[in-house]
């Protein structure tokens, strides 16, 4: 009798369990969002970060939470993604926040600063150095919450029709450049222009601009910039570790179940890791192809670099004096950068510089 009673209870328990699994699944609501990207589909690495978020969210929720990704220009222009997320035209977007320094120069901190952090340092500051908290209030003022969702690593210095041998060669140059780099170079006579990625080639071809920077060899080759300008300069001192972000309308975020919020946070972190890994893997071969096709690789001279650093320090000092929010975040990132470089010169730089010297000698 006891055995029959036990089996009866076990059978009831199993039946309840069989019902509970789909019941839990059914508790996940069906949600469809739209994501506006600042990037064209042709740039599969930078655009692809949004696809990673979309696919992972759909997979884990068995398509109950779907985020449809639109490239730059399909719903909104590439440089208006923040506006679209803020006003609810779309629920979320994938962009580089430094596109919006016209609204507030402090947006640059979320992406990259001239002579700022490299990619690993940027991630360290964001995740564990107070970076996310430092920029959160800024995004909240625009009705958004943001998550790091990609990093290009250190970028190239751009494509030029003529050689840049001295600071004088910069004067009057019409240069496509993003973020605070344009403000810095303006002190040296450059006319900076912020143009979305998909619009760079025609602007350079028509002569609307004299030079342009984007990301690095893999993307630049896809854009065809080497077909117009042959001098390829490095380094992109204005973008040592460019972070892209997933922006979400704050009201829409607050409507999500906690499980969906946790899922988006995880998916953005995956996109952050994968985008940088892809660039690091793809850039070397692209650079070889570009050089084989006649591209002239050039370093910025020491004099040019020093002049740019001086101008960058002036921009930070002047902007901090005029903008308390900027000063607050600048103080945070500058202190963090000093500590990072203290460690970096011992470990990372020491290791890398040895490897480079040995390769030059043919020992590695």
């Amino acid at each position: 009798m006891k055995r029959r009673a036990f089996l009866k209870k076990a059978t009831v328990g199993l039946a309840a369990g069989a019902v509970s699994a789909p019941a839990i699944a059914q508790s996940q609501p069906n949600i469809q969002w739209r994501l506006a990207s600042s990037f064209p589909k042709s740039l599969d690495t930078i655009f692809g970060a949004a696809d990673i978020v979309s696919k992972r969210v759909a997979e884990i929720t068995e398509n109950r939470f779907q985020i449809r990704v639109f490239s730059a220009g399909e719903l909104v222009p590439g440089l208006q993604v923040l506006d679209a997320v803020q006003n609810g035209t779309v629920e979320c977007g994938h962009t580089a926040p430094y596109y919006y320094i016209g609204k507030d120069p402090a947006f640059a901190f979320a992406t990259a600063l001239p002579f700022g952090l490299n990619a690993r340092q940027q991630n360290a500051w964001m995740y564990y150095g107070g970076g996310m908290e430092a920029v959160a209030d800024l995004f909240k003022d625009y009705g958004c919450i943001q998550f790091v969702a990609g990093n290009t690593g250190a970028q190239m210095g751009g494509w030029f029709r003529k050689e840049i041998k001295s600071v004088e060669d910069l004067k009057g140059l019409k240069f496509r450049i993003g973020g605070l780099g344009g403000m810095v170079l303006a002190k040296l006579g450059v006319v900076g222009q912020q143009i979305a990625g998909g619009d760079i080639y025609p602007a350079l071809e028509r002569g609307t601009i004299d030079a342009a920077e984007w990301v690095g060899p893999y993307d630049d080759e896809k854009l065809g910039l080497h077909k117009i300008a042959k001098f390829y300069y490095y380094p992109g001192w204005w973008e040592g570790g460019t972070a892209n972000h997933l922006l979400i309308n704050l009201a829409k975020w607050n409507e999500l179940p906690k499980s969906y919020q946790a899922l988006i946070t995880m998916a953005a972190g995956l996109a952050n890791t994968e985008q940088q890994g892809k660039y690091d893997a793809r850039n070397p071969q692209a650079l070889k192809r570009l050089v084989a096709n006649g591209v002239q690789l050039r370093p910025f001279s020491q004099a040019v670099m020093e002049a740019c650093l001086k101008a960058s320090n002036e921009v930070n000092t002047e902007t901090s004096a005029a903008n308390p929010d900027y000063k607050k975040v600048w103080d945070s990132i500058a202190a963090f950068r000093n500590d990072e470089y203290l460690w970096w010169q011992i470990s990372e730089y020491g290791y890398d510089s040895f490897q480079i010297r040995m390769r030059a000698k043919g020992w590695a």
Side-chain angles (χ1 to χ4, degrees), residues 132-165:
M132 292 289 285
E133 296 81 1
V135 299
D137 287 342
L138 177 63
F139 285 96
K140 188 175 181 180
D141 288 343
Y142 287 81
C144 300
I145 186 172
Q146 48 70 235
F147 300 91
V148 184
N151 199 300
T152 68
Q155 296 193 2
M156 290 292 285
W159 299 86
F160 298 77
R161 285 197 175 93
K162 65 176 185 178
E163 289 189 83
I164 305 298
K165 296 180 179 179

PDB file of all heavy atoms in Angstrom, residues 132-165:
ATOM      1  N   MET A 132      31.185  52.764 -16.610  1.00  0.00           N
ATOM      2  CA  MET A 132      29.747  52.632 -16.883  1.00  0.00           C
ATOM      3  C   MET A 132      28.950  53.593 -16.015  1.00  0.00           C
ATOM      4  O   MET A 132      28.009  54.242 -16.494  1.00  0.00           O
ATOM      5  CB  MET A 132      29.306  51.186 -16.625  1.00  0.00           C
ATOM      6  CG  MET A 132      29.868  50.186 -17.616  1.00  0.00           C
ATOM      7  SD  MET A 132      29.152  50.326 -19.270  1.00  0.00           S
ATOM      8  CE  MET A 132      27.539  49.595 -19.006  1.00  0.00           C
ATOM      9  N   GLU A 133      29.339  53.685 -14.752  1.00  0.00           N
ATOM     10  CA  GLU A 133      28.649  54.599 -13.842  1.00  0.00           C
ATOM     11  C   GLU A 133      28.900  56.059 -14.224  1.00  0.00           C
ATOM     12  O   GLU A 133      28.006  56.916 -14.113  1.00  0.00           O
ATOM     13  CB  GLU A 133      29.109  54.365 -12.402  1.00  0.00           C
ATOM     14  CG  GLU A 133      28.759  52.995 -11.841  1.00  0.00           C
ATOM     15  CD  GLU A 133      29.713  51.879 -12.257  1.00  0.00           C
ATOM     16  OE1 GLU A 133      30.685  52.179 -12.994  1.00  0.00           O
ATOM     17  OE2 GLU A 133      29.486  50.730 -11.870  1.00  0.00           O
ATOM     18  N   ALA A 134      30.115  56.336 -14.703  1.00  0.00           N
ATOM     19  CA  ALA A 134      30.475  57.714 -15.036  1.00  0.00           C
ATOM     20  C   ALA A 134      29.668  58.260 -16.202  1.00  0.00           C
ATOM     21  O   ALA A 134      29.368  59.457 -16.249  1.00  0.00           O
ATOM     22  CB  ALA A 134      31.975  57.800 -15.347  1.00  0.00           C
ATOM     23  N   VAL A 135      29.323  57.399 -17.158  1.00  0.00           N
ATOM     24  CA  VAL A 135      28.584  57.876 -18.336  1.00  0.00           C
ATOM     25  C   VAL A 135      27.090  57.591 -18.247  1.00  0.00           C
ATOM     26  O   VAL A 135      26.311  58.082 -19.077  1.00  0.00           O
ATOM     27  CB  VAL A 135      29.159  57.268 -19.634  1.00  0.00           C
ATOM     28  CG1 VAL A 135      30.616  57.667 -19.818  1.00  0.00           C
ATOM     29  CG2 VAL A 135      29.015  55.752 -19.654  1.00  0.00           C
ATOM     30  N   ALA A 136      26.658  56.809 -17.243  1.00  0.00           N
ATOM     31  CA  ALA A 136      25.252  56.402 -17.155  1.00  0.00           C
ATOM     32  C   ALA A 136      24.308  57.595 -17.056  1.00  0.00           C
ATOM     33  O   ALA A 136      23.257  57.620 -17.716  1.00  0.00           O
ATOM     34  CB  ALA A 136      25.047  55.467 -15.961  1.00  0.00           C
ATOM     35  N   ASP A 137      24.661  58.589 -16.237  1.00  0.00           N
ATOM     36  CA  ASP A 137      23.780  59.742 -16.063  1.00  0.00           C
ATOM     37  C   ASP A 137      23.631  60.533 -17.354  1.00  0.00           C
ATOM     38  O   ASP A 137      22.559  61.088 -17.631  1.00  0.00           O
ATOM     39  CB  ASP A 137      24.312  60.659 -14.953  1.00  0.00           C
ATOM     40  CG  ASP A 137      24.112  60.062 -13.567  1.00  0.00           C
ATOM     41  OD1 ASP A 137      23.283  59.140 -13.432  1.00  0.00           O
ATOM     42  OD2 ASP A 137      24.789  60.513 -12.623  1.00  0.00           O
ATOM     43  N   LEU A 138      24.699  60.585 -18.134  1.00  0.00           N
ATOM     44  CA  LEU A 138      24.637  61.299 -19.408  1.00  0.00           C
ATOM     45  C   LEU A 138      23.617  60.648 -20.334  1.00  0.00           C
ATOM     46  O   LEU A 138      22.762  61.327 -20.924  1.00  0.00           O
ATOM     47  CB  LEU A 138      26.023  61.317 -20.063  1.00  0.00           C
ATOM     48  CG  LEU A 138      26.119  61.961 -21.444  1.00  0.00           C
ATOM     49  CD1 LEU A 138      25.753  63.442 -21.366  1.00  0.00           C
ATOM     50  CD2 LEU A 138      27.530  61.784 -22.000  1.00  0.00           C
ATOM     51  N   PHE A 139      23.675  59.327 -20.449  1.00  0.00           N
ATOM     52  CA  PHE A 139      22.721  58.630 -21.308  1.00  0.00           C
ATOM     53  C   PHE A 139      21.308  58.712 -20.741  1.00  0.00           C
ATOM     54  O   PHE A 139      20.330  58.799 -21.493  1.00  0.00           O
ATOM     55  CB  PHE A 139      23.148  57.178 -21.500  1.00  0.00           C
ATOM     56  CG  PHE A 139      24.303  57.009 -22.445  1.00  0.00           C
ATOM     57  CD1 PHE A 139      25.603  56.916 -21.976  1.00  0.00           C
ATOM     58  CD2 PHE A 139      24.097  56.968 -23.815  1.00  0.00           C
ATOM     59  CE1 PHE A 139      26.670  56.775 -22.842  1.00  0.00           C
ATOM     60  CE2 PHE A 139      25.156  56.830 -24.702  1.00  0.00           C
ATOM     61  CZ  PHE A 139      26.450  56.733 -24.213  1.00  0.00           C
ATOM     62  N   LYS A 140      21.198  58.678 -19.428  1.00  0.00           N
ATOM     63  CA  LYS A 140      19.881  58.766 -18.798  1.00  0.00           C
ATOM     64  C   LYS A 140      19.214  60.092 -19.119  1.00  0.00           C
ATOM     65  O   LYS A 140      17.992  60.159 -19.305  1.00  0.00           O
ATOM     66  CB  LYS A 140      20.029  58.597 -17.284  1.00  0.00           C
ATOM     67  CG  LYS A 140      18.701  58.474 -16.546  1.00  0.00           C
ATOM     68  CD  LYS A 140      18.925  58.197 -15.064  1.00  0.00           C
ATOM     69  CE  LYS A 140      17.606  58.059 -14.329  1.00  0.00           C
ATOM     70  NZ  LYS A 140      17.817  57.793 -12.867  1.00  0.00           N
ATOM     71  N   ASP A 141      20.003  61.154 -19.210  1.00  0.00           N
ATOM     72  CA  ASP A 141      19.461  62.467 -19.584  1.00  0.00           C
ATOM     73  C   ASP A 141      18.831  62.446 -20.974  1.00  0.00           C
ATOM     74  O   ASP A 141      17.988  63.292 -21.289  1.00  0.00           O
ATOM     75  CB  ASP A 141      20.562  63.534 -19.540  1.00  0.00           C
ATOM     76  CG  ASP A 141      20.976  63.892 -18.120  1.00  0.00           C
ATOM     77  OD1 ASP A 141      20.216  63.583 -17.181  1.00  0.00           O
ATOM     78  OD2 ASP A 141      22.062  64.483 -17.944  1.00  0.00           O
ATOM     79  N   TYR A 142      19.266  61.497 -21.793  1.00  0.00           N
ATOM     80  CA  TYR A 142      18.719  61.358 -23.148  1.00  0.00           C
ATOM     81  C   TYR A 142      17.781  60.159 -23.243  1.00  0.00           C
ATOM     82  O   TYR A 142      17.516  59.656 -24.341  1.00  0.00           O
ATOM     83  CB  TYR A 142      19.857  61.247 -24.165  1.00  0.00           C
ATOM     84  CG  TYR A 142      20.555  62.570 -24.382  1.00  0.00           C
ATOM     85  CD1 TYR A 142      21.526  63.017 -23.491  1.00  0.00           C
ATOM     86  CD2 TYR A 142      20.211  63.401 -25.437  1.00  0.00           C
ATOM     87  CE1 TYR A 142      22.154  64.251 -23.657  1.00  0.00           C
ATOM     88  CE2 TYR A 142      20.821  64.631 -25.621  1.00  0.00           C
ATOM     89  CZ  TYR A 142      21.792  65.043 -24.718  1.00  0.00           C
ATOM     90  OH  TYR A 142      22.402  66.277 -24.897  1.00  0.00           O
ATOM     91  N   GLY A 143      17.277  59.722 -22.092  1.00  0.00           N
ATOM     92  CA  GLY A 143      16.271  58.673 -22.068  1.00  0.00           C
ATOM     93  C   GLY A 143      16.766  57.307 -22.484  1.00  0.00           C
ATOM     94  O   GLY A 143      15.990  56.499 -23.010  1.00  0.00           O
ATOM     95  N   CYS A 144      18.048  57.034 -22.252  1.00  0.00           N
ATOM     96  CA  CYS A 144      18.648  55.773 -22.702  1.00  0.00           C
ATOM     97  C   CYS A 144      19.437  55.091 -21.590  1.00  0.00           C
ATOM     98  O   CYS A 144      19.900  55.730 -20.647  1.00  0.00           O
ATOM     99  CB  CYS A 144      19.606  56.015 -23.877  1.00  0.00           C
ATOM    100  SG  CYS A 144      18.859  56.741 -25.343  1.00  0.00           S
ATOM    101  N   ILE A 145      19.613  53.798 -21.757  1.00  0.00           N
ATOM    102  CA  ILE A 145      20.594  53.035 -21.004  1.00  0.00           C
ATOM    103  C   ILE A 145      21.519  52.407 -22.034  1.00  0.00           C
ATOM    104  O   ILE A 145      21.084  52.103 -23.158  1.00  0.00           O
ATOM    105  CB  ILE A 145      19.919  51.957 -20.123  1.00  0.00           C
ATOM    106  CG1 ILE A 145      20.964  51.269 -19.238  1.00  0.00           C
ATOM    107  CG2 ILE A 145      19.123  50.967 -20.940  1.00  0.00           C
ATOM    108  CD1 ILE A 145      20.359  50.339 -18.194  1.00  0.00           C
ATOM    109  N   GLN A 146      22.799  52.259 -21.702  1.00  0.00           N
ATOM    110  CA  GLN A 146      23.766  51.777 -22.703  1.00  0.00           C
ATOM    111  C   GLN A 146      24.617  50.644 -22.171  1.00  0.00           C
ATOM    112  O   GLN A 146      24.811  50.520 -20.964  1.00  0.00           O
ATOM    113  CB  GLN A 146      24.653  52.905 -23.208  1.00  0.00           C
ATOM    114  CG  GLN A 146      25.278  53.798 -22.168  1.00  0.00           C
ATOM    115  CD  GLN A 146      26.351  53.162 -21.318  1.00  0.00           C
ATOM    116  OE1 GLN A 146      26.259  53.176 -20.090  1.00  0.00           O
ATOM    117  NE2 GLN A 146      27.373  52.600 -21.958  1.00  0.00           N
ATOM    118  N   PHE A 147      25.091  49.836 -23.119  1.00  0.00           N
ATOM    119  CA  PHE A 147      25.983  48.718 -22.817  1.00  0.00           C
ATOM    120  C   PHE A 147      27.094  48.690 -23.862  1.00  0.00           C
ATOM    121  O   PHE A 147      26.831  48.866 -25.056  1.00  0.00           O
ATOM    122  CB  PHE A 147      25.225  47.391 -22.850  1.00  0.00           C
ATOM    123  CG  PHE A 147      24.098  47.321 -21.869  1.00  0.00           C
ATOM    124  CD1 PHE A 147      22.817  47.718 -22.242  1.00  0.00           C
ATOM    125  CD2 PHE A 147      24.310  46.894 -20.573  1.00  0.00           C
ATOM    126  CE1 PHE A 147      21.769  47.673 -21.337  1.00  0.00           C
ATOM    127  CE2 PHE A 147      23.267  46.849 -19.660  1.00  0.00           C
ATOM    128  CZ  PHE A 147      21.995  47.239 -20.040  1.00  0.00           C
ATOM    129  N   VAL A 148      28.317  48.463 -23.403  1.00  0.00           N
ATOM    130  CA  VAL A 148      29.424  48.313 -24.345  1.00  0.00           C
ATOM    131  C   VAL A 148      29.137  47.086 -25.205  1.00  0.00           C
ATOM    132  O   VAL A 148      28.822  46.015 -24.689  1.00  0.00           O
ATOM    133  CB  VAL A 148      30.760  48.140 -23.610  1.00  0.00           C
ATOM    134  CG1 VAL A 148      31.901  48.082 -24.611  1.00  0.00           C
ATOM    135  CG2 VAL A 148      30.980  49.273 -22.625  1.00  0.00           C
ATOM    136  N   ALA A 149      29.258  47.237 -26.521  1.00  0.00           N
ATOM    137  CA  ALA A 149      28.919  46.138 -27.436  1.00  0.00           C
ATOM    138  C   ALA A 149      29.840  46.161 -28.653  1.00  0.00           C
ATOM    139  O   ALA A 149      29.389  46.200 -29.791  1.00  0.00           O
ATOM    140  CB  ALA A 149      27.453  46.220 -27.860  1.00  0.00           C
ATOM    141  N   GLY A 150      31.138  46.166 -28.388  1.00  0.00           N
ATOM    142  CA  GLY A 150      32.097  46.111 -29.492  1.00  0.00           C
ATOM    143  C   GLY A 150      33.248  47.072 -29.276  1.00  0.00           C
ATOM    144  O   GLY A 150      33.093  48.127 -28.654  1.00  0.00           O
ATOM    145  N   ASN A 151      34.413  46.684 -29.786  1.00  0.00           N
ATOM    146  CA  ASN A 151      35.576  47.567 -29.753  1.00  0.00           C
ATOM    147  C   ASN A 151      36.430  47.253 -30.970  1.00  0.00           C
ATOM    148  O   ASN A 151      36.668  46.090 -31.289  1.00  0.00           O
ATOM    149  CB  ASN A 151      36.380  47.369 -28.470  1.00  0.00           C
ATOM    150  CG  ASN A 151      37.305  48.534 -28.174  1.00  0.00           C
ATOM    151  OD1 ASN A 151      38.184  48.857 -28.975  1.00  0.00           O
ATOM    152  ND2 ASN A 151      37.106  49.184 -27.044  1.00  0.00           N
ATOM    153  N   THR A 152      36.891  48.292 -31.639  1.00  0.00           N
ATOM    154  CA  THR A 152      37.678  48.099 -32.862  1.00  0.00           C
ATOM    155  C   THR A 152      39.159  47.891 -32.569  1.00  0.00           C
ATOM    156  O   THR A 152      39.909  47.499 -33.461  1.00  0.00           O
ATOM    157  CB  THR A 152      37.564  49.320 -33.789  1.00  0.00           C
ATOM    158  OG1 THR A 152      38.214  50.446 -33.176  1.00  0.00           O
ATOM    159  CG2 THR A 152      36.111  49.657 -34.073  1.00  0.00           C
ATOM    160  N   GLY A 153      39.592  48.165 -31.330  1.00  0.00           N
ATOM    161  CA  GLY A 153      41.016  48.217 -31.060  1.00  0.00           C
ATOM    162  C   GLY A 153      41.585  49.532 -31.576  1.00  0.00           C
ATOM    163  O   GLY A 153      40.854  50.413 -32.056  1.00  0.00           O
ATOM    164  N   ALA A 154      42.901  49.685 -31.480  1.00  0.00           N
ATOM    165  CA  ALA A 154      43.545  50.915 -31.960  1.00  0.00           C
ATOM    166  C   ALA A 154      43.342  51.049 -33.465  1.00  0.00           C
ATOM    167  O   ALA A 154      43.503  50.086 -34.219  1.00  0.00           O
ATOM    168  CB  ALA A 154      45.032  50.891 -31.637  1.00  0.00           C
ATOM    169  N   GLN A 155      42.982  52.242 -33.893  1.00  0.00           N
ATOM    170  CA  GLN A 155      42.667  52.465 -35.292  1.00  0.00           C
ATOM    171  C   GLN A 155      43.854  53.048 -36.067  1.00  0.00           C
ATOM    172  O   GLN A 155      44.865  53.462 -35.487  1.00  0.00           O
ATOM    173  CB  GLN A 155      41.448  53.376 -35.408  1.00  0.00           C
ATOM    174  CG  GLN A 155      40.191  52.753 -34.825  1.00  0.00           C
ATOM    175  CD  GLN A 155      38.928  53.492 -35.207  1.00  0.00           C
ATOM    176  OE1 GLN A 155      38.946  54.479 -35.947  1.00  0.00           O
ATOM    177  NE2 GLN A 155      37.800  53.010 -34.710  1.00  0.00           N
ATOM    178  N   MET A 156      43.690  53.083 -37.381  1.00  0.00           N
ATOM    179  CA  MET A 156      44.689  53.701 -38.245  1.00  0.00           C
ATOM    180  C   MET A 156      44.448  55.212 -38.313  1.00  0.00           C
ATOM    181  O   MET A 156      43.379  55.703 -37.954  1.00  0.00           O
ATOM    182  CB  MET A 156      44.630  53.087 -39.637  1.00  0.00           C
ATOM    183  CG  MET A 156      45.116  51.647 -39.693  1.00  0.00           C
ATOM    184  SD  MET A 156      46.894  51.487 -39.397  1.00  0.00           S
ATOM    185  CE  MET A 156      47.555  52.060 -40.965  1.00  0.00           C
ATOM    186  N   GLY A 157      45.459  55.922 -38.814  1.00  0.00           N
ATOM    187  CA  GLY A 157      45.385  57.379 -38.863  1.00  0.00           C
ATOM    188  C   GLY A 157      44.717  57.940 -40.101  1.00  0.00           C
ATOM    189  O   GLY A 157      44.528  59.156 -40.190  1.00  0.00           O
ATOM    190  N   GLY A 158      44.378  57.084 -41.050  1.00  0.00           N
ATOM    191  CA  GLY A 158      43.588  57.552 -42.170  1.00  0.00           C
ATOM    192  C   GLY A 158      44.300  57.607 -43.503  1.00  0.00           C
ATOM    193  O   GLY A 158      45.504  57.344 -43.626  1.00  0.00           O
ATOM    194  N   TRP A 159      43.523  57.984 -44.509  1.00  0.00           N
ATOM    195  CA  TRP A 159      43.937  58.007 -45.916  1.00  0.00           C
ATOM    196  C   TRP A 159      44.104  59.441 -46.401  1.00  0.00           C
ATOM    197  O   TRP A 159      43.201  60.265 -46.228  1.00  0.00           O
ATOM    198  CB  TRP A 159      42.894  57.293 -46.768  1.00  0.00           C
ATOM    199  CG  TRP A 159      42.730  55.852 -46.376  1.00  0.00           C
ATOM    200  CD1 TRP A 159      41.907  55.349 -45.396  1.00  0.00           C
ATOM    201  CD2 TRP A 159      43.433  54.749 -46.926  1.00  0.00           C
ATOM    202  NE1 TRP A 159      42.046  53.990 -45.321  1.00  0.00           N
ATOM    203  CE2 TRP A 159      42.981  53.578 -46.242  1.00  0.00           C
ATOM    204  CE3 TRP A 159      44.397  54.615 -47.932  1.00  0.00           C
ATOM    205  CZ2 TRP A 159      43.461  52.310 -46.548  1.00  0.00           C
ATOM    206  CZ3 TRP A 159      44.870  53.342 -48.230  1.00  0.00           C
ATOM    207  CH2 TRP A 159      44.404  52.209 -47.549  1.00  0.00           C
ATOM    208  N   PHE A 160      45.236  59.716 -47.032  1.00  0.00           N
ATOM    209  CA  PHE A 160      45.550  61.070 -47.470  1.00  0.00           C
ATOM    210  C   PHE A 160      46.029  61.035 -48.925  1.00  0.00           C
ATOM    211  O   PHE A 160      46.753  60.125 -49.332  1.00  0.00           O
ATOM    212  CB  PHE A 160      46.663  61.674 -46.593  1.00  0.00           C
ATOM    213  CG  PHE A 160      46.277  61.816 -45.137  1.00  0.00           C
ATOM    214  CD1 PHE A 160      46.270  60.708 -44.286  1.00  0.00           C
ATOM    215  CD2 PHE A 160      45.916  63.043 -44.620  1.00  0.00           C
ATOM    216  CE1 PHE A 160      45.937  60.830 -42.952  1.00  0.00           C
ATOM    217  CE2 PHE A 160      45.575  63.180 -43.277  1.00  0.00           C
ATOM    218  CZ  PHE A 160      45.572  62.061 -42.439  1.00  0.00           C
ATOM    219  N   ARG A 161      45.617  62.048 -49.662  1.00  0.00           N
ATOM    220  CA  ARG A 161      46.081  62.143 -51.056  1.00  0.00           C
ATOM    221  C   ARG A 161      47.529  62.611 -51.133  1.00  0.00           C
ATOM    222  O   ARG A 161      48.227  62.328 -52.102  1.00  0.00           O
ATOM    223  CB  ARG A 161      45.192  63.109 -51.837  1.00  0.00           C
ATOM    224  CG  ARG A 161      43.822  62.535 -52.191  1.00  0.00           C
ATOM    225  CD  ARG A 161      43.189  63.368 -53.308  1.00  0.00           C
ATOM    226  NE  ARG A 161      41.955  62.798 -53.765  1.00  0.00           N
ATOM    227  CZ  ARG A 161      40.745  63.109 -53.309  1.00  0.00           C
ATOM    228  NH1 ARG A 161      40.652  63.997 -52.314  1.00  0.00           N
ATOM    229  NH2 ARG A 161      39.655  62.553 -53.781  1.00  0.00           N
ATOM    230  N   LYS A 162      47.954  63.340 -50.126  1.00  0.00           N
ATOM    231  CA  LYS A 162      49.329  63.844 -50.108  1.00  0.00           C
ATOM    232  C   LYS A 162      49.996  63.443 -48.799  1.00  0.00           C
ATOM    233  O   LYS A 162      49.325  63.114 -47.810  1.00  0.00           O
ATOM    234  CB  LYS A 162      49.347  65.366 -50.249  1.00  0.00           C
ATOM    235  CG  LYS A 162      48.705  66.101 -49.080  1.00  0.00           C
ATOM    236  CD  LYS A 162      48.832  67.616 -49.216  1.00  0.00           C
ATOM    237  CE  LYS A 162      48.300  68.333 -47.971  1.00  0.00           C
ATOM    238  NZ  LYS A 162      48.458  69.798 -48.058  1.00  0.00           N
ATOM    239  N   GLU A 163      51.299  63.462 -48.769  1.00  0.00           N
ATOM    240  CA  GLU A 163      52.035  63.122 -47.555  1.00  0.00           C
ATOM    241  C   GLU A 163      51.884  64.226 -46.501  1.00  0.00           C
ATOM    242  O   GLU A 163      51.797  65.412 -46.828  1.00  0.00           O
ATOM    243  CB  GLU A 163      53.513  62.920 -47.868  1.00  0.00           C
ATOM    244  CG  GLU A 163      53.804  61.647 -48.648  1.00  0.00           C
ATOM    245  CD  GLU A 163      55.286  61.371 -48.752  1.00  0.00           C
ATOM    246  OE1 GLU A 163      55.857  60.798 -47.797  1.00  0.00           O
ATOM    247  OE2 GLU A 163      55.876  61.729 -49.788  1.00  0.00           O
ATOM    248  N   ILE A 164      51.863  63.805 -45.262  1.00  0.00           N
ATOM    249  CA  ILE A 164      51.805  64.724 -44.127  1.00  0.00           C
ATOM    250  C   ILE A 164      53.166  64.665 -43.440  1.00  0.00           C
ATOM    251  O   ILE A 164      53.422  63.799 -42.593  1.00  0.00           O
ATOM    252  CB  ILE A 164      50.680  64.346 -43.149  1.00  0.00           C
ATOM    253  CG1 ILE A 164      49.341  64.255 -43.870  1.00  0.00           C
ATOM    254  CG2 ILE A 164      50.612  65.336 -41.994  1.00  0.00           C
ATOM    255  CD1 ILE A 164      48.882  65.553 -44.500  1.00  0.00           C
ATOM    256  N   LYS A 165      54.040  65.565 -43.832  1.00  0.00           N
ATOM    257  CA  LYS A 165      55.408  65.541 -43.313  1.00  0.00           C
ATOM    258  C   LYS A 165      55.596  66.466 -42.111  1.00  0.00           C
ATOM    259  O   LYS A 165      56.530  66.287 -41.324  1.00  0.00           O
ATOM    260  CB  LYS A 165      56.385  65.931 -44.415  1.00  0.00           C
ATOM    261  CG  LYS A 165      56.407  64.943 -45.583  1.00  0.00           C
ATOM    262  CD  LYS A 165      57.392  65.391 -46.656  1.00  0.00           C
ATOM    263  CE  LYS A 165      57.433  64.406 -47.806  1.00  0.00           C
ATOM    264  NZ  LYS A 165      58.369  64.833 -48.876  1.00  0.00           N
TER     265      LYS A 165
END
